[in-house]
Amino acid sequence: MKLSTKGRYGLRAMIDLAEFSEAEPVSIASISQRQGISERYLEQLMAKLKKAGLVESIRGAGGGYIIHGDAGKISVGDILRALEGSLEAVTCAAFHADESCQAQDICATKYVWQKINESIRTTVDGIYLDQLAEESRKNKARCRKEIQPEALCGSSRKEKRKEEDNE
């Protein structure tokens, strides 16, 4: 299984929202700047996440997006399925009632596919958005404290360039 940019960028956007939307809605533009993802692509991702009930949009001045509900109850699996669809590495007809496989009674590889799919499901469903947001905060704090001052440490490349231009 290989995740597309929808899943990878969408997860980054959701972590950003979990970090920054606690006090106020977060604009597409601010996510775009921090994450280096185009606003147009983020709009498409947010539409899918909204349709799945994972984010809410707030209209008007100061509007933007917020996490719908508790970030501690939204799993990585919820996010990836909303953006990617099925996360099965291999779709084996032996495990789907609506499909038939002529070799399902003698096939030994179906157990390999089942184990791989179960491992993916267990992993993505066992990691929650609040955990990732906290990990991101810790990483940024550690970066600012321990790593070279010129490191990005969570700032976007545009912000870093602006800081350098102002010096």
Side-chain angles (χ1 to χ4, degrees), residues 90-157:
V90 175
T91 304
C92 179
F95 299 114
H96 296 278
D98 58 337
E99 298 178 27
S100 64
C101 175
Q102 294 175 345
Q104 76 182 29
D105 294 331
I106 60 169
C107 180
T109 60
K110 68 183 178 185
Y111 297 105
V112 174
W113 312 143
Q114 183 179 30
K115 289 288 188 187
I116 290 170
N117 290 338
E118 285 173 7
S119 294
I120 292 168
R121 189 173 31 259
T122 301
T123 300
V124 298
D125 289 341
I127 303 170
Y128 292 88
L129 188 54
D130 65 337
Q131 295 170 313
L132 293 174
E134 182 58 30
E135 187 67 24
S136 180
R137 287 182 193 106
K138 286 179 189 175
N139 290 344
K140 288 173 186 171
R142 189 185 80 249
C143 180
R144 289 183 191 106
K145 189 177 191 180
E146 298 174 5
I147 300 185
Q148 300 172 346
E150 63 269 9
L152 290 177
C153 294
S155 300
S156 73
R157 295 185 198 298

Side-chain angles (χ1 to χ4, degrees), residues 32-86:
S32 172
Q33 188 174 28
R34 282 189 295 269
Q35 297 300 321
I37 303 168
S38 81
E39 289 183 31
R40 189 171 175 166
Y41 197 51
L42 278 169
E43 287 168 358
Q44 293 172 24
L45 298 176
M46 288 299 168
K48 285 180 173 261
L49 293 166
K50 183 178 176 184
K51 185 177 180 182
L54 299 176
V55 300
E56 290 179 50
S57 62
I58 309 297
R59 294 181 179 209
Y65 288 87
I66 59 171
I67 299 293
H68 179 78
D70 182 358
K73 293 182 179 174
I74 298 173
S75 72
V76 170
D78 295 331
I79 297 164
L80 294 179
R81 283 185 203 91
L83 296 166
E84 299 277 358
S86 173

Side-chain angles (χ1 to χ4, degrees), residues 8-22:
R8 295 192 323 267
Y9 289 5
L11 183 58
R12 284 174 37 199
M14 286 293 287
I15 294 167
D16 191 282
L17 272 181
E19 279 187 86
F20 296 101
S21 72
E22 290 175 347

